[in-house]
Amino acid sequence: MVFEKCKELLGLNNILAKTLLFHLEYLLNKNNSTELNNILTKINQISNIKDSELLLFVRCKVYIELKMYHEAMLDLNLLYDKNNYYYYKYISYISYIYLLREYTDFWLYLNVNNNNFSELGIVNGFNKYMYEKPKVYFISNLVNLNSELHQLQENGINSLSEKILSSKNKELHLNLPMLYLQQGYTGIIWKINVNEILNKDCFIKFIIKSTNFEQYKNSELKHYEHMLKYEDVLKLVGLGWIEYQLPTNVGELYVQPSIEINGSINMQIDYARHGCNEEEITYIPNIGDLLPNFYKICPNVPETFKNKCFSRKEMENLLELKDIINHL
């Protein structure tokens, strides 16, 4: 049965079908450098590979397994260029990052300039990359700057950093460090999850201080505030994880976002980032819902192809694919 379905996939002459088979071959040969190099040879024979995000992603993973980190970086940069800025593209990029998160040595390699962001609380390669490239500042970085925040830290299965901060119904004021955005006139977005409100006398205040100069005096900073009162916060309760975009754009290069939680609000915070969503409130799907299987991260799987994907029982016999894949 597996053999027949693979022949059908190959017969489609479909780039998505070939990508799926390349990925299956990669899974079968992760620890075999000779076979991984053979996969690269076959992938590189496909024309217009830059037009297929999934194929770029598979090649990126193969490069990483072979410790060809420079080549993997180039493919990851291509994926970023295709998906940065707007949310509906940004979430695709995040799904790729999620699947590469485990490769610690790769993220260390990407910090080739040995940039030291310890003054920002950023101490590992993955968090450095997320700050430098997509401009995501994980709120868990603050724990490295203020040990008292450790009591508010929780595991977050829906966070790329795997750590979040929870207000635990306490008043909380978090000042992020001054962040360098590298480009002006962009939005500031917070990823938050408001679980419940225990007191109507509450609010959430977002604060932005900004400047174009690396050296500055506090009196010279531009200051912006946006407050969500009880009625506004109530609309966020039960929505789950969302990205909340402040209703203003920042024109300066250096930005210090802050958040103040006043009153009994039980909420969690994952990160602040720059970017531009289409709506003020954008729902964040669970990472697990995005990535249960490799082919589910592709939004354009043809219906005819879905019928040819393998069942769990058939996946148990994937070793039979080796003879088939050799004919790609």
Side-chain angles (χ1 to χ4, degrees):
M1 179 63 71
V2 174
F3 181 85
E4 293 300 323
K5 288 195 174 184
C6 283
K7 287 200 300 184
E8 288 184 68
L9 291 175
L10 291 173
L12 288 175
N13 194 26
N14 183 304
I15 189 64
L16 181 58
K18 289 183 179 294
T19 300
L20 178 57
L21 287 176
F22 284 136
H23 185 254
L24 293 176
E25 185 178 11
Y26 153 78
L27 292 175
L28 291 170
N29 297 284
K30 288 179 64 173
N31 299 317
N32 187 326
S33 60
T34 300
E35 291 298 327
L36 289 177
N37 276 295
N38 289 337
I39 297 172
L40 277 181
T41 299
K42 287 182 282 190
I43 291 177
N44 289 331
Q45 290 174 348
I46 295 178
S47 60
N48 300 321
I49 185 174
K50 293 181 180 179
D51 295 335
S52 172
E53 290 183 17
L54 287 178
L55 194 53
L56 278 174
F57 171 71
V58 172
R59 188 172 70 174
C60 180
K61 290 198 73 174
V62 174
Y63 279 140
I64 293 175
E65 293 290 352
L66 290 171
K67 300 190 183 304
M68 300 171 65
Y69 293 150
H70 177 73
E71 291 79 2
M73 177 188 68
L74 295 178
D75 278 352
L76 186 60
N77 287 343
L78 286 173
L79 289 170
Y80 174 77
D81 292 340
K82 286 175 171 288
N83 292 288
N84 71 332
Y85 205 69
Y86 289 105
Y87 172 79
Y88 70 95
K89 286 289 189 178
Y90 169 79
I91 198 64
S92 297
Y93 178 69
I94 289 299
S95 68
Y96 300 133
I97 291 294
Y98 179 85
L99 290 171
L100 299 176
R101 184 178 55 179
E102 64 183 287
Y103 298 103
T104 305
D105 289 343
F106 175 58
W107 300 114
L108 289 175
Y109 171 84
L110 293 183
N111 189 36
V112 291
N113 295 323
N114 292 319
N115 292 329
N116 188 345
F117 296 121
S118 58
E119 73 278 5
L120 304 180
I122 301 174
V123 296
N124 65 61
F126 179 75
N127 285 16
K128 288 179 182 179
Y129 175 84
M130 293 300 292
Y131 171 67
E132 283 194 287
K133 198 69 174 180
K135 292 302 174 185
V136 173
Y137 183 86
F138 292 114
I139 207 72
S140 56
N141 291 326
L142 292 178
V143 176
N144 299 318
L145 300 176
N146 182 356
S147 59
E148 293 182 1
L149 293 176
H150 191 272
Q151 61 183 326
L152 302 179
Q153 185 170 261
E154 298 178 349
N155 293 329
I157 60 174
N158 200 35
S159 170
L160 288 176
S161 71
E162 300 183 305
K163 298 292 182 181
I164 58 176
L165 291 186
S166 174
S167 65
K168 299 183 184 295
N169 297 320
K170 299 178 181 179
E171 293 187 1
L172 184 63
H173 193 166
L174 298 175
N175 290 317
L176 277 61
M178 186 65 75
L179 308 177
Y180 179 48
L181 296 185
Q182 293 182 332
Q183 65 182 55
Y185 206 73
T186 186
I188 300 298
I189 298 169
W190 287 82
K191 182 182 174 185
I192 59 175
N193 178 20
V194 181
N195 293 309
E196 62 177 339
I197 303 173
L198 301 180
N199 191 327
K200 290 186 177 182
D201 186 18
C202 65
F203 64 82
I204 302 174
K205 182 189 294 184
F206 299 95
I207 304 167
I208 298 175
K209 296 179 181 179
S210 59
T211 179
N212 276 319
F213 305 101
E214 186 174 3
Q215 302 296 327
Y216 57 87
K217 297 179 181 179
N218 287 332
S219 59
E220 299 171 342
L221 297 176
K222 288 188 176 181
H223 189 97
Y224 169 82
E225 292 186 2
H226 175 66
M227 182 181 293
L228 298 178
K229 298 181 179 180
Y230 168 74
E231 293 79 9
D232 304 311
V233 179
L234 188 61
K235 296 176 183 178
L236 305 181
V237 175
L239 296 182
W241 282 105
I242 62 170
E243 283 196 337
Y244 184 81
Q245 180 169 306
L246 303 188
T248 188
N249 286 328
V250 179
E252 290 71 42
L253 299 178
Y254 294 90
V255 176
Q256 182 184 28
S258 301
I259 185 171
E260 181 180 344
I261 303 169
N262 191 286
S264 297
I265 302 176
N266 182 2
M267 66 177 288
Q268 300 166 316
I269 309 168
D270 188 5
Y271 60 68
R273 72 174 181 94
H274 87 121
C276 182
N277 291 339
E278 294 183 350
E279 305 290 341
E280 181 181 64
I281 297 173
T282 304
Y283 299 95
I284 303 292
N286 291 325
I287 292 292
D289 294 337
L290 279 175
L291 306 167
N293 293 298
F294 170 76
Y295 52 85
K296 285 193 176 182
I297 64 176
C298 177
N300 300 313
V301 180
E303 290 299 321
T304 55
F305 181 78
K306 287 182 179 179
N307 294 332
K308 296 178 175 62
C309 291
F310 307 111
S311 68
R312 181 179 298 274
K313 183 176 181 180
E314 290 165 338
M315 290 292 285
E316 294 174 356
N317 299 316
L318 277 179
L319 288 176
E320 298 178 31
L321 288 174
K322 282 190 174 181
D323 294 333
I324 302 169
I325 293 172
N326 287 334
H327 296 288
L328 278 173

